[in-house]
Amino acid sequence: MAKTPANPPPKDVEIDLPDHVAGSGSLERLVKTARTYAEATVAENTAKAYAADWAHFSRWCRMKGADTLPPSPELIGLYLTDLAHPSDKTAPLTVASIERRLSGLSWNYAQRGLALNRKERHIARILAGIKRKHARPPVQKEAIFPEDIQAMVATLPYDLRGLRDRAILLLGYAGGLRRTEIVCLDVHKDDTEDSGGWVTIYEEGALLTLNSKTGWREVEIGRGSTDATCPVHALEQWLHFAKIGFGPVFVRTSRDGKRALEDRLSDKHVARLIKHTVLKAGLRAELPEKERLALFSGHSLRAGLASSAEVDERYVQKHLGHASVEMTRRYQRRRDRFRINLTKAAGL
């Protein structure tokens, strides 16, 4: 069986001086900066996922005695088929996961200067057939409703770590934020190189300026009806007692929980925090613990806001940064079903 190298893209994106141009210190610095910009075209988590997609495809090719390069629509069509209907005992992937794998392959080929035509018949027809045969309604995470978030924050202590986690949950919920958007915040504009936005606190509330998946947007978070559930008050308490006036808003704490450290929190902390407080608050207690944990994720905060805010959905769409109201409606788990009865309206 022929062995195929994984063909990973180089650590530095392949941006360099043309062969006919003599190098210089200033040009080399520009090349280095250009590589940094090129590497920032996708989010870190997306880049990791695409790398995993390529590793899986490369391993599959080695097992089949095939080459990953150049891109072969016929081979990729067979790969998609094996993902949907595995020849071994592995579980088949969902349609959404298969489409994500295909996107990962397209991106990886592009990094190697090669084009993968997803509309080529060997790919397009097989993918259309997989969708027709295996597509299912999307499995959505459970929404966290107002009574849920109140129960979750009530489980947190009032030490430094508790103040931080309370601010994370309330700000994430009221802002309808992605978990990466929560941890990317800085106190001021341009405080750190890895910043994804900053927060400005006013008397009326907090204004978040975010560089998100859909571009720059502003998120207004008004003050709540009580200090116990007010996201802006929780943020102010955390910043005050953690003595944070510069740099990342949400950072790690010392082991004893009494000092704020300099390191920015990972977005994985938000996911772990949600699951931990869901269990402590007793949400969906009728289910086994494993099932309860699987129901909730970082998106549960966004879904909760979209489902609970009783305002014109255009405002919710803008708040969440969605390009269309249809996307916002996907997040709404508890809408007014049957409020308009077309059956009776039609005279039946």
Side-chain angles (χ1 to χ4, degrees):
M1 182 181 293
K3 288 190 175 182
T4 305
N7 298 309
K11 273 194 172 183
D12 291 327
V13 177
E14 291 183 354
I15 293 177
D16 213 332
L17 290 173
D19 293 336
H20 64 277
V21 175
S24 68
S26 61
L27 286 175
E28 289 296 336
R29 285 191 294 272
L30 283 174
V31 167
K32 186 176 180 180
T33 303
R35 287 173 180 165
T36 302
Y37 284 137
E39 289 166 356
T41 54
V42 295
E44 182 181 355
N45 288 343
T46 303
K48 288 179 180 177
Y50 285 169
D53 292 338
W54 184 257
H56 185 274
F57 177 61
S58 299
R59 186 166 57 251
W60 183 87
C61 287
R62 287 196 300 272
M63 293 176 64
K64 305 301 181 186
D67 293 327
T68 56
L69 302 178
S72 165
E74 297 87 348
L75 182 66
I76 291 173
L78 295 177
Y79 174 64
L80 300 181
T81 301
D82 202 20
L83 295 178
H85 190 78
S87 53
D88 53 20
K89 295 182 179 179
T90 59
L93 294 187
T94 64
V95 172
S97 295
I98 291 172
E99 289 186 308
R100 212 293 312 281
R101 287 276 175 90
L102 184 57
S103 296
L105 295 186
S106 298
W107 185 85
N108 275 283
Y109 277 122
Q111 305 316 298
R112 293 162 174 80
L114 301 169
L116 175 62
N117 183 9
R118 297 177 55 159
K119 295 183 179 179
E120 205 281 338
R121 61 189 179 91
H122 290 93
I123 297 175
R125 293 188 64 183
I126 289 174
L127 185 58
I130 290 172
K131 288 181 179 180
R132 185 174 180 84
K133 187 163 181 144
H134 298 293
R136 297 288 184 273
V139 178
Q140 295 180 315
K141 294 298 182 181
E142 194 90 354
I144 292 173
F145 295 106
E147 61 272 18
D148 300 327
I149 196 72
Q150 290 174 26
M152 290 164 64
V153 297
T155 67
L156 296 170
Y158 281 89
D159 59 5
L160 195 60
R161 191 175 291 134
L163 292 176
R164 178 198 65 191
D165 290 345
R166 183 174 284 100
I168 287 174
L169 289 177
L170 291 173
L171 200 71
Y173 185 82
L177 304 177
R178 301 174 179 89
R179 62 188 196 185
T180 51
E181 292 173 341
I182 297 172
V183 299
C184 78
L185 287 169
D186 277 4
V187 178
H188 307 107
K189 181 181 178 181
D190 299 328
D191 274 359
T192 63
E193 290 186 359
D194 62 340
S195 169
W198 65 93
V199 57
T200 308
I201 298 178
Y202 298 96
E203 184 177 345
E204 301 85 356
L207 178 66
L208 311 184
T209 306
L210 292 166
N211 186 10
S212 61
K213 289 172 64 175
T214 54
W216 284 98
R217 80 179 198 276
E218 291 184 340
V219 177
E220 297 177 5
I221 300 180
R223 293 187 182 272
S225 54
T226 68
D227 285 348
T229 58
C230 175
V232 183
H233 177 74
L235 177 62
E236 289 173 326
Q237 290 288 99
W238 157 248
L239 293 176
H240 173 73
F241 286 103
K243 300 177 181 177
I244 295 176
F246 181 86
V249 169
F250 294 114
V251 296
R252 294 173 55 241
T253 59
S254 58
R255 184 165 295 183
D256 59 10
K258 294 181 179 180
R259 289 184 299 108
L261 306 178
E262 294 182 357
D263 300 333
R264 187 188 301 275
L265 277 180
S266 162
D267 66 301
K268 293 179 181 178
H269 174 80
V270 180
R272 290 192 295 264
L273 173 62
I274 290 170
K275 292 179 182 295
H276 173 71
T277 51
V278 158
L279 288 181
K280 291 196 71 176
L283 272 58
R284 300 297 300 272
E286 72 277 8
L287 298 175
E289 181 176 311
K290 187 175 181 180
E291 290 184 30
R292 293 167 66 195
L293 290 174
L295 282 176
F296 296 92
S297 73
H299 264 62
S300 296
L301 297 177
R302 283 168 68 78
L305 178 82
S307 304
S308 304
E310 297 181 357
V311 296
D312 190 312
E313 60 187 5
R314 290 174 298 174
Y315 294 108
V316 181
Q317 176 190 346
K318 179 183 177 183
H319 200 73
L320 297 180
H322 288 154
S324 67
V325 72
E326 285 76 17
M327 177 59 72
T328 302
R329 287 171 181 164
R330 294 184 193 177
Y331 281 75
Q332 294 173 328
R333 308 290 193 266
R334 190 167 68 183
R335 300 177 66 193
D336 293 335
R337 291 187 175 91
F338 307 114
R339 181 171 59 86
I340 298 175
N341 190 330
L342 290 180
T343 306
K344 289 182 178 179
L348 298 180

